[in-house]
Amino acid sequence: MEGINKTAKIQFFFRPFSADPEIQVGIFVAFLVMYLTSLSGNTTVAVLVQTNHSLHVPMYFFLANLAVLEIFYTSAIAPLALANLLSMGKTPVSIPGCGTQMFFFVFLGGADCVLLAVMAYDRFMAICYPLRYTRIMSWPLCVELMVGSLALGFLLSLPLTILIFHLPFCNNEIYHFYCDMPAVMRLACADTHVHETALYLISFVVLSIPLSLISISYVFIVAAILRIRSAEGRHRAFSTCSSHILVVLLQYGCTSFIYLSPSSSYSPKMGRVVSVVYTFITPILNPLIYSIRNKELKDALRRALRKF
């Protein structure tokens, strides 16, 4: 009981990127610019889809929901990270605060991964079964798939967060800029073998099953595209799918590096650098990639800009 009481009183601190205040301010400015760019880009995509009737189709419904997820996903990390950059790592975060951040980060990240698989299924149905697409991908099914993505993210995040925060902590300096699971577990003064195994298994399920479904979908998609006689039709189909593939590679590549690497080879320094990619850079690239590669979205953006 005494150990639990001591753990409950712990406040975590995040290790600064640098001991030089000027470098910290430079990193703060870079993070702030990336965060604001991510917010504006994803908000633009969500608003464009909502306000343009021509974009009220399943593909853009999922894209708008992906943009909203990215907004909340980045917002779960950025404010605390920015505060710590300015304070040189002196801004404390309580055990409940750290647990809340971890829960929402994993919840939204897990839902993000499942939603990318749903989007691949949507493209599979659109390209391989175009005549039956509108009947199969009905609006009730789209809503169910979106709710299912959120539910799976929630069910994966909650038990992991509870499991990790039942550990006793002997150290309070996190070698990271947010409460990431591998970084927090390194502060425990107890055997974390069970926790590491649980994290690895759940991460493997979250990443491998959706990625397998995405890969299978694209095998059929590519085969169907190659059978299209029109060169313009093939180009349009490849253009739509290539945007999704780029986002998948970015998201799954970085998260696999962090969560599927053996704990013995985990590098806190490298983990922190790679985490910047999928918490700040990827949310910027998602709307940019889809906007550049998607004609309908570009046309909607041009029409919106003309009104101003």
Side-chain angles (χ1 to χ4, degrees), residues 15-298:
R15 183 178 295 189
F17 280 86
S18 171
D20 187 335
E22 291 185 1
I23 294 176
Q24 283 286 107
V25 170
I27 296 172
F28 167 82
V29 171
F31 274 32
L32 179 61
V33 169
M34 288 190 289
Y35 177 51
L36 294 178
T37 304
S38 170
L39 286 183
S40 58
N42 284 293
T43 301
T44 300
V45 170
V47 170
L48 282 175
V49 173
Q50 176 64 29
T51 56
N52 283 268
H53 185 73
S54 61
L55 300 180
H56 290 181
V57 294
M59 173 184 171
Y60 294 106
F61 168 77
F62 294 128
L63 180 57
N65 278 280
L66 179 68
V68 173
L69 275 180
E70 295 286 12
I71 291 170
F72 286 107
Y73 176 76
T74 312
S75 297
I77 304 298
L80 186 58
L82 292 169
N84 273 281
L85 282 166
L86 277 185
S87 67
M88 294 294 294
K90 294 177 182 177
T91 301
V93 57
S94 64
I95 291 278
C98 191
T100 301
Q101 186 187 56
M102 182 183 290
F103 167 77
F104 279 105
F105 170 72
V106 179
F107 163 45
L108 296 167
D112 201 324
C113 289
V114 177
L115 183 57
L116 288 174
V118 169
M119 292 172 74
Y121 173 74
D122 172 68
R123 291 299 83 209
F124 163 72
M125 295 304 304
I127 293 171
C128 298
Y129 300 99
L131 299 179
R132 291 190 286 167
Y133 174 72
T134 53
R135 182 170 59 84
I136 295 173
M137 294 301 295
S138 62
W139 282 113
L141 177 61
C142 291
V143 173
E144 287 171 8
L145 289 171
M146 186 62 226
V147 172
S149 300
L150 293 171
L152 284 172
F154 178 86
L155 292 173
L156 291 166
S157 176
L158 186 61
L160 265 181
T161 305
I162 292 172
L163 184 66
I164 289 174
F165 280 92
H166 268 79
L167 286 167
F169 298 105
C170 301
N171 193 358
N172 68 341
E173 186 183 50
I174 303 175
Y175 197 122
H176 219 303
F177 57 91
Y178 66 95
C179 292
D180 197 18
M181 289 185 173
V184 172
M185 280 195 294
R186 293 175 71 88
L187 308 182
C189 49
D191 183 17
T192 59
H193 180 73
V194 173
H195 303 74
E196 290 170 5
T197 302
L199 176 59
Y200 182 87
L201 289 175
I202 292 178
S203 299
F204 183 78
V205 170
V206 172
L207 295 171
S208 65
I209 293 179
L211 187 57
S212 298
L213 294 174
I214 291 169
S215 301
I216 293 169
S217 296
Y218 273 105
V219 168
F220 289 102
I221 287 171
V222 171
I225 291 174
L226 293 176
R227 290 196 297 269
I228 297 175
R229 294 181 180 180
S230 165
E232 183 182 349
R234 286 197 301 271
H235 175 75
R236 183 175 179 180
F238 271 124
S239 178
T240 301
C241 294
S242 61
S243 303
H244 183 255
I245 291 171
L246 285 172
V247 172
V248 167
L249 290 174
L250 282 169
Q251 182 74 14
Y252 280 84
C254 293
T255 50
S256 296
F257 178 86
I258 297 296
Y259 295 103
L260 296 183
S261 297
S263 58
S264 58
S265 64
Y266 176 77
S267 166
K269 186 175 182 179
M270 183 59 68
R272 186 164 64 172
V273 171
V274 174
S275 295
V276 173
V277 176
Y278 67 81
T279 55
F280 281 93
I281 298 176
T282 302
I284 294 173
L285 295 178
N286 284 357
L288 185 63
I289 289 170
Y290 278 111
S291 299
I292 290 173
R293 304 289 296 179
N294 192 286
K295 185 178 182 298
E296 288 84 359
L297 209 56
K298 285 192 290 186

